[in-house]
Amino acid sequence: MNPASFKTHPSAALTLRNVTKRFNGAAGCVTALDDITLDVKEGEFLVLVGPSGCGKSTLLSLLAGLDQVDEGAIRLGEEPVRSPGRDRLVMFQQDALFPWLNTLENVMFGLRLKPDLTEAERLESARYYLSLVGLADKEKARPHELSGGMRQRVALARSLAPNPRVLLMDEPFSALDALTRDQLYRDIQDIFTKRKKTIVLVTHNIREAVCLGDRVVLLSPNPGRVRQIFDINLPRPRRINDPELASLAAEVTDALSSHLSRSQEGLA
């Protein structure tokens, strides 16, 4: 794409234009993502949903700068995204905490990304974010002393503490039990409401997407394309079993099933 022709939306944190990504496999070249054009607004909670193989995690890797587009372009504000940066941090499915560090030290480690801070400022920030995720009393605990949900809260605090412009989340709740997930949904919404951080979440759980997102982007595979975008206008905080939320999630699920059926018919 000619940089001169790249138009960014004034309210967008991330801008994707005609993004295509291919991989070479045993069966030849596979197009994982095809012609993705999308704006992620500043302060928006955007959720990417779709079945396995639709390119959700691939798209997140491109946004993080962990991989490069084959065609098209991605920009953060006015700057091209070509490599990882402190302005974009990723929270993965596994908490990836350092077992030899306690909770406070794990969050402090994330703050090493901010070399302009003093040690006292890092300590103050780490304690603030541990308090924000409800773990102020666990700062001396090691990861093995925490539940899975607590470890994911520490991982969230570590991701938020350096104050990235965009937080990228790759199915961070999928390995947790239902009660722990429900608590984390409430925590995330509370943090999002307070901090208004730009968040892009990848999930295969459509109720989770509707519970958390301002918009839900529906991707379908073969190749991965944006099929539909849903505006979620439900008030926060949302509960995943609220009837109105469940009804809207069913609508998104029906749309996805319809797109998948048409996609499979096209391959037949």
Side-chain angles (χ1 to χ4, degrees):
M1 173 175 286
N2 181 357
S5 67
F6 195 111
K7 301 295 184 183
T8 58
H9 192 282
S11 66
L14 284 163
T15 308
L16 299 84
R17 293 291 179 268
N18 310 109
V19 169
T20 296
K21 181 63 184 176
R22 303 182 186 91
F23 295 101
N24 291 316
C29 183
V30 176
T31 301
L33 295 168
D34 183 49
D35 198 29
I36 304 290
T37 291
L38 184 67
D39 290 326
V40 183
K41 301 169 189 173
E42 196 81 54
E44 177 180 32
F45 202 134
L46 186 85
V47 187
L48 306 173
V49 300
S52 297
C54 71
K56 302 185 299 293
S57 291
T58 297
L59 184 52
L60 205 74
S61 292
L62 295 175
L63 295 176
L66 300 172
D67 208 344
Q68 301 298 307
V69 303
D70 290 311
E71 295 178 18
I74 301 174
R75 287 193 179 181
L76 178 67
E78 297 296 329
E79 297 299 318
V81 173
R82 297 195 181 102
S83 62
R86 290 185 303 219
D87 42 24
R88 288 155 287 125
L89 292 182
V90 185
M91 183 178 171
F92 294 101
Q93 182 176 340
Q94 301 300 322
D95 56 68
L97 300 179
F98 299 113
W100 58 89
L101 299 180
N102 65 32
T103 297
L104 183 65
E105 290 165 340
N106 265 287
V107 179
M108 290 277 283
F109 187 89
L111 285 161
R112 305 296 177 195
L113 296 170
K114 304 284 283 185
D116 52 319
L117 296 179
T118 66
E119 196 67 10
E121 288 170 332
R122 291 192 185 99
L123 183 61
E124 180 183 5
S125 183
R127 284 181 166 149
Y128 168 78
Y129 281 98
L130 277 177
S131 176
L132 198 63
V133 300
L135 291 176
D137 60 339
K138 299 291 185 182
E139 66 176 45
K140 297 300 183 184
R142 304 274 178 174
H144 72 273
E145 298 174 298
L146 303 174
S147 68
M150 286 180 177
R151 289 196 297 271
Q152 280 298 69
R153 288 186 191 180
V154 177
L156 177 60
R158 184 175 63 183
S159 299
L160 289 169
N163 196 28
R165 184 171 175 181
V166 180
L167 177 61
L168 305 168
M169 308 178 78
D170 192 2
E171 301 199 47
F173 314 119
S174 61
L176 303 174
D177 64 85
L179 288 175
T180 301
R181 284 200 307 269
D182 193 49
Q183 180 60 54
L184 276 167
Y185 295 155
R186 292 195 292 272
D187 292 342
I188 284 278
Q189 289 182 80
D190 184 50
I191 291 167
F192 176 73
T193 301
K194 289 176 179 176
R195 305 296 297 171
K196 273 300 176 184
K197 182 68 60 186
T198 303
I199 300 175
V200 180
L201 168 70
V202 161
T203 182
H204 64 275
N205 185 324
I206 291 179
R207 279 209 190 188
E208 177 177 292
V210 174
C211 182
L212 297 177
D214 293 321
R215 287 190 298 158
V216 174
V217 178
L218 210 58
L219 298 172
S220 66
N222 304 315
R225 289 177 178 151
V226 174
R227 297 299 182 180
Q228 198 166 343
I229 300 177
F230 289 83
D231 292 312
I232 310 300
N233 296 314
L234 302 176
R236 299 181 193 276
R238 304 169 189 164
R239 297 295 298 270
I240 200 162
N241 291 318
D242 287 344
E244 192 175 1
L245 188 151
S247 176
L248 185 50
E251 182 182 337
V252 177
T253 301
D254 289 344
L256 178 59
S257 298
S258 176
H259 288 304
L260 283 175
S261 295
R262 289 200 292 270
S263 176
Q264 288 164 358
E265 287 171 5
L267 290 173

